[in-house]
Amino acid sequence: MKINTELTGARVYIRDYRPADLDFAAGMWLDGENGRYLSDPARDYVDEAFQRALDTLQDSETGCYLTVCLNGTGERVGTCCLFPDECREGYDIGYCVHKSRWGQGLAAEAVGLLVDWVRAQGGRRVTAEVADANLPSRALLEKLGFSMGRPSEFKKYHMDVRYPSHIYQLTLEPLNITLGERTAESAARSFERMNTPAIRATLPLKARTAEEAAEEFRASQLPGASSFGRTILADGRHVGDVWCYGIRPDSAPAAMVSYCVFEPSLRGRGAASQALGRFLPEVAGKYGLKTVGAFTFADNLPSLRVLEKNGFRLAEEFTEDGAASRYYQLDFE
């Protein structure tokens, strides 16, 4: 199984495991210190069957094996995995970070990305088995909202080493989408998350650097500024932005609106629609707007759905620079 996408966080991203990752992954799992609380054996206990399993991880039909990498450099820093039940309502997870990166919070970020992905698939619960003696891992799960469930036990493959353990569980609730205040720091962070080929293909960015994005925000705070925006928060976490520009209350349209959910695992889950639905009444009341408009490419079906769900009507279709585009408008009165 594969997730066929990248799950991107503030410092790391998660991608599908590749055969080229084997030396790195096995180097952690079979290491006496790094893999101490894993079910994988020490290197001396790897037999033909276990090696065959390692060599074919990318072909697994029962679970997803994944690699955790640092943003920017692509350096591999850990691994994780997902195993869905038959109904794909529950997902069991595993995770491991290279010992050179322990204590940096990377495991918590990776597990958070896994949870977001499971929620995006409609999963209802996430479980993880942790050795009772593995205090850092227990603390990580509890920090992320997992609760200790039934006791269990596991042993290391072909070794006489057993660990009393517990099954930790997180019950997933629907996303709580709210809006937050934008700051120069959040504007710079948004630019870094939006500055990807996939997002640039559908949302041209004026700023060329994070510093320029922060400066644009500062300019929007000056008297007479014609733009206003908010951060999109999912369960309190910054996952996107929504904003208006070209604000002229006496014009038609009185402003243009745009939005972006840059957290891949949340796309298609209604986060942008909910955020836009909260933002429009706020900006209309703040500036006395009677209409707002929005441009989108004709083949950007997710964006079309967001606009139509919020009451926008198609006003014009046109081609610009060879790309079929659409202009939508919403009248408040």
Side-chain angles (χ1 to χ4, degrees):
M1 293 176 57
K2 298 183 184 300
I3 60 173
N4 295 314
T5 188
E6 289 185 356
L7 311 181
T8 307
R11 292 175 296 166
V12 304
Y13 66 92
I14 298 175
R15 59 165 173 78
D16 284 313
Y17 171 90
R18 303 165 184 164
D21 298 325
L22 178 57
D23 287 345
F24 167 77
M28 291 191 304
W29 302 338
L30 308 181
D31 178 80
E33 181 182 15
N34 218 140
R36 178 180 180 183
Y37 294 118
L38 301 179
S39 60
D40 303 276
R43 192 173 297 275
D44 291 344
Y45 289 83
V46 173
D47 60 10
E48 183 178 345
F50 194 88
Q51 186 62 54
R52 187 165 54 250
L54 289 177
D55 292 339
T56 57
L57 288 175
Q58 68 278 1
D59 301 322
S60 173
E61 296 181 356
T62 58
C64 299
Y65 288 91
L66 307 159
T67 302
V68 183
C69 305
L70 286 184
N71 289 336
T73 67
E75 176 191 348
R76 289 172 290 208
V77 295
T79 59
C80 49
C81 54
L82 291 157
F83 293 89
D85 62 19
E86 291 185 2
C87 299
R88 293 185 181 267
E89 292 185 351
Y91 289 74
D92 193 55
I93 66 170
Y95 48 89
C96 181
V97 168
H98 194 277
K99 59 187 178 183
S100 65
R101 294 287 181 174
W102 285 354
Q104 298 179 18
L106 301 184
E109 184 173 337
V111 172
L113 291 172
L114 291 184
V115 169
D116 286 342
W117 185 87
V118 170
R119 184 186 279 115
Q121 310 314 303
R124 296 184 178 181
R125 60 188 174 277
V126 181
T127 56
E129 183 174 8
V130 183
D132 293 345
N134 192 349
L135 300 182
S137 189
R138 291 172 57 185
L140 180 157
L141 293 175
E142 290 167 2
K143 180 180 179 180
L144 293 174
F146 284 72
S147 58
M148 181 188 290
R150 63 179 175 83
S152 185
E153 182 184 77
F154 67 90
K155 70 183 294 291
K156 294 184 86 62
Y157 180 86
H158 277 193
M159 296 176 65
D160 189 23
V161 178
R162 296 179 179 274
Y163 288 110
S165 62
H166 277 80
I167 307 298
Y168 280 73
Q169 179 168 308
L170 176 66
T171 301
L172 301 180
E173 301 293 340
L175 280 177
N176 179 28
I177 301 298
T178 57
L179 302 180
E181 297 293 333
R182 294 187 77 227
T183 64
E185 291 74 18
S186 72
R189 185 165 59 249
S190 293
F191 174 83
E192 292 172 348
R193 298 294 303 279
M194 294 180 192
N195 190 28
T196 67
I199 292 180
R200 278 188 173 276
T202 59
L203 182 68
L205 300 177
K206 179 181 177 182
R208 293 170 296 178
T209 66
E211 290 74 18
E212 286 187 12
E215 190 56 38
E216 285 181 3
F217 167 78
R218 295 186 185 98
S220 74
Q221 302 302 293
L222 299 175
S226 60
S227 62
F228 172 74
R230 300 276 259 155
T231 58
I232 301 174
L233 306 177
D235 296 333
R237 186 165 58 88
H238 184 194
V239 298
D241 286 341
V242 57
W243 64 96
C244 269
Y245 59 95
I247 298 174
R248 298 183 301 276
D250 296 330
S251 301
M256 300 297 294
V257 68
S258 196
Y259 43 85
C260 178
V261 172
F262 48 66
E263 174 53 62
S265 66
L266 299 184
R267 293 175 193 155
R269 295 204 54 218
S273 293
Q274 292 183 57
L276 184 59
R278 286 167 170 73
F279 179 72
L280 290 171
E282 178 182 1
V283 72
K286 182 179 179 68
Y287 293 98
L289 306 182
K290 295 182 180 179
T291 60
V292 291
F295 289 111
T296 188
F297 292 119
D299 61 356
N300 190 349
L301 300 183
S303 186
L304 301 181
R305 288 195 292 269
V306 169
L307 294 173
E308 291 167 357
K309 284 182 179 179
N310 279 280
F312 283 76
R313 58 177 177 79
L314 178 62
E316 183 182 357
E317 296 185 82
F318 59 95
T319 299
E320 185 175 27
D321 296 329
S325 303
R326 293 183 178 186
Y327 168 67
Y328 282 80
Q329 186 165 301
L330 173 67
D331 299 325
F332 291 109
E333 294 184 353

